[in-house]
Amino acid sequence: MLDAYRSSWTDVAAHLERVPVAVLPFGALEQHGPQLPLGTDTATAAEVARRIAEALDAVLLPPVHYGDTWNTAGYPGTVSLRPSTVTAIAEDVGRAIAASGARLLVVVNGDWGNRNPLAAAMRTLETEGALRALTLDHPGMDAAIAAVRESAPAAPGLNHAEEVETSIMLAIAPEDVHPDRYEATYPTFPSDFGTRPMQLHPFSASGVFGDPSSATAEKGERIIAATVAASLALLEDALPRD
């Protein structure tokens, strides 16, 4: 693996000539309760991306620290980009890294709000033919979560600032976790929750959705490892072969 942030342009050029694959972590700066940092999604994407890049001997690009986090924009500290901005950033990075010699761009998405904007960017890059481009939305993570989860989710598919994300951060950045601030929050959601855009701050004053008290670093490591393994399996047929 070559870390582009810490490397010279000549090193990047030589590495892409040998392994024309770049990995881009795309995160967010958004609230994750009182016990987790605003950079939780970026930290998670960066860790998954680093492990993927190591396995592929790819060029690891520095993370994008902001994303489309409109649904948590009601909490101070959250910085949300417009969907069009997320799309434009991904497209511009893709074009630039293609000009540098990459033939495959793998974007590791760290936040749900980035999914549609990143998909639009990948479509544009594929259409332009500059390089192959795809987004990984944590494949394998749901099954890994189901295998380790002890607490009930606040809503189906909602893993935010609770056992799951706290476990992940205990595994990758325990110094940024505040166990003394753990609290459980189980809001009452409207019947159409998840079917239309909704901001989350009216439902939880703390920003927690679930219960972080059963989080452990071991659970977090199992979730991350499963996500990386599923990502590598998915990438098998996308890798440049010549």
Side-chain angles (χ1 to χ4, degrees):
M1 180 196 83
L2 185 75
D3 186 341
Y5 187 78
R6 293 177 169 85
S7 302
S8 70
W9 76 266
T10 54
D11 290 337
V12 171
H15 199 95
L16 285 174
E17 185 173 349
R18 183 170 60 84
V19 182
V21 180
V23 183
L24 171 67
F26 212 111
L29 191 74
E30 69 168 351
Q31 78 81 20
H32 280 81
Q35 84 279 11
L36 297 178
L38 290 162
T40 291
D41 290 336
T42 301
T44 302
E47 179 64 16
V48 172
R50 181 185 65 79
R51 297 189 189 193
I52 291 172
E54 285 181 344
L56 300 179
D57 194 21
V59 170
L60 177 65
L61 299 173
V64 178
H65 289 267
Y66 304 98
D68 177 8
T69 57
W70 172 86
N71 63 336
T72 58
Y75 297 92
T78 298
V79 176
S80 182
L81 303 180
R82 290 173 295 171
S84 59
T85 302
V86 172
T87 299
I89 291 171
E91 289 175 354
D92 285 352
V93 171
R95 294 181 185 116
I97 201 66
S100 297
R103 291 166 53 199
L104 172 65
L105 173 66
V106 178
V107 180
V108 176
N109 178 26
D111 186 77
W112 182 86
N114 294 335
R115 287 188 175 188
N116 289 338
L118 288 176
M122 300 303 102
R123 176 171 173 171
T124 296
L125 292 171
E126 285 277 355
T127 300
E128 291 176 351
L131 79 175
R132 300 194 72 177
L134 59 87
T135 301
L136 297 174
D137 287 311
H138 294 327
M141 183 175 278
D142 287 345
I145 289 171
V148 302
R149 181 190 279 283
E150 294 181 76
S151 63
L158 181 59
N159 307 307
H160 192 80
E162 35 62 83
E163 178 186 0
V164 172
E165 289 198 307
T166 303
S167 291
I168 290 171
M169 289 304 291
L170 284 171
I172 63 179
E175 67 278 6
D176 293 333
V177 181
H178 300 276
D180 57 309
R181 301 179 187 175
Y182 287 175
E183 61 177 274
T185 305
Y186 284 91
T188 299
F189 294 110
S191 60
D192 60 349
F193 181 76
T195 65
R196 64 180 174 88
M198 292 184 190
Q199 291 194 303
L200 296 178
H201 63 278
F203 303 111
S204 173
S206 68
V208 174
F209 292 85
D211 185 355
S213 63
S214 57
T216 68
E218 180 184 3
K219 291 177 183 177
E221 175 57 33
R222 287 179 62 184
I223 292 169
I224 294 167
T227 302
V228 172
S231 296
L232 291 172
L234 187 152
L235 289 170
E236 200 168 297
D237 292 331
L239 296 173
R241 297 300 181 188
D242 51 37

